[in-house]
Every structure is written in C-alpha cells, then in structure tokens.
Amino acid sequence: MAARVQAEPFDPALVVAGLGDGAGAQVTFVGIVRDDGDLAAMEIEHYPGMTEAALTDYGHGAAERFGLTGWRVVHRYGRLAVGEPIMMVATAARHRRAAFDAADYLMDWLKSRAPFWKREIRRDGSSAWVAARDEDETSLARW
C-alpha cells in the first residue's frame, strides 16, 4: 500500500505487481491528459511531502472503509503532453464491488482534494489554471 508522486512516466504493470496477493479482485484506473481541441500540455505542481502524505491518508482511508487487501496511487507532476498518463489508482480486495468502489472513492478524492495545482497550456501559448468543478464536488459528496 503506497502513494507516489513523481515526474517520470510509470509502467502500470509494475504499479500493480504484487498488489493484493490473494485478493479476488483488482481494479486499475489510468488517467490520461485529454485533448479538448487546443490543449498542448498540462503543468502540474505540488508541495513535496504534503502531497504524498495526503495521498497516503486517502489510500489508508479507502483501505479501511472498503476492506482493501492492497492499494496504490501514482500521480505525476511537471509538464505532461496530451496523451500522457497523469495518474493511476489500483485497488485490490476480496470481492470486486469493494475494489471498484474503493477505486471510485479514491478518484473522487484525488480529483477534488489532492493538493495539486494544474495549469492548461494551449497550442497558442496561452495558459490558465484549472478551477474546481461543481460536478467533481457532487461526486465527492456521495461518499
């Protein structure tokens, strides 16, 4: 059970290696920098130490709440081009519903509460910080 924040790309197969040995279900989600038409890249900033601690707390909370046998969260920072993996959540549990729910729970927490700051860089060179979205808060509120 671990959370990592890193600049370099990750290999999803290595992230899940040995995750939840003996579990009956394993769920993974990889988030990709999506192309909205004129996006060139996403720049992600964080506070080292604080961010890892927050992600670890979220992971341990999910493990307790859903009875996970394992979990991992990897989130990248720095400049990421469209199409690059930005983050990954992996959960393992005795039963599939717990693994799916825990992954969904972690995604909602990461999207709304993880201490990252994201700036979109447009193809024309302009940029803007990404603001919180109402639908992300609504998703988080269901937990």
Side-chain angles (χ1 to χ4, degrees):
M1 298 190 205
R4 289 192 333 243
V5 179
Q6 62 190 54
E8 57 278 342
F10 57 86
D11 180 343
L14 293 177
V15 173
V16 298
L19 176 67
D21 289 337
Q26 189 177 84
V27 171
T28 61
F29 175 87
V30 176
I32 307 294
V33 178
R34 70 178 164 266
D35 186 359
D36 68 357
D38 68 342
L39 186 69
M42 178 83 69
E43 286 184 353
I44 301 170
E45 297 181 8
H46 77 292
Y47 284 118
M50 181 180 91
T51 303
E52 291 88 344
L55 299 184
T56 299
D57 287 347
Y58 300 149
H60 286 308
E64 185 175 319
R65 181 177 184 146
F66 298 99
L68 298 179
T69 59
W71 63 270
R72 298 207 177 118
V73 174
V74 178
H75 204 298
R76 295 180 63 200
Y77 66 90
R79 187 178 179 106
L80 305 173
V82 168
E84 284 191 73
I86 192 170
M87 57 78 59
M88 180 174 177
V89 166
T91 58
R94 290 182 48 77
H95 303 285
R96 68 179 168 85
R97 180 53 41 216
F100 273 108
D101 286 348
D104 204 18
Y105 171 86
L106 282 169
M107 287 304 309
D108 286 340
W109 277 100
L110 287 168
K111 192 77 171 157
S112 298
R113 295 294 184 268
F116 290 100
W117 295 268
K118 299 175 183 177
R119 187 167 57 135
E120 295 179 335
I121 311 299
R122 301 283 165 200
R123 290 189 180 120
D124 67 5
S126 64
S127 67
W129 292 101
V130 176
R133 299 180 336 171
D134 290 339
E135 56 265 30
D136 294 334
E137 291 299 315
T138 300
S139 291
L140 181 61
R142 66 193 170 122
W143 303 108

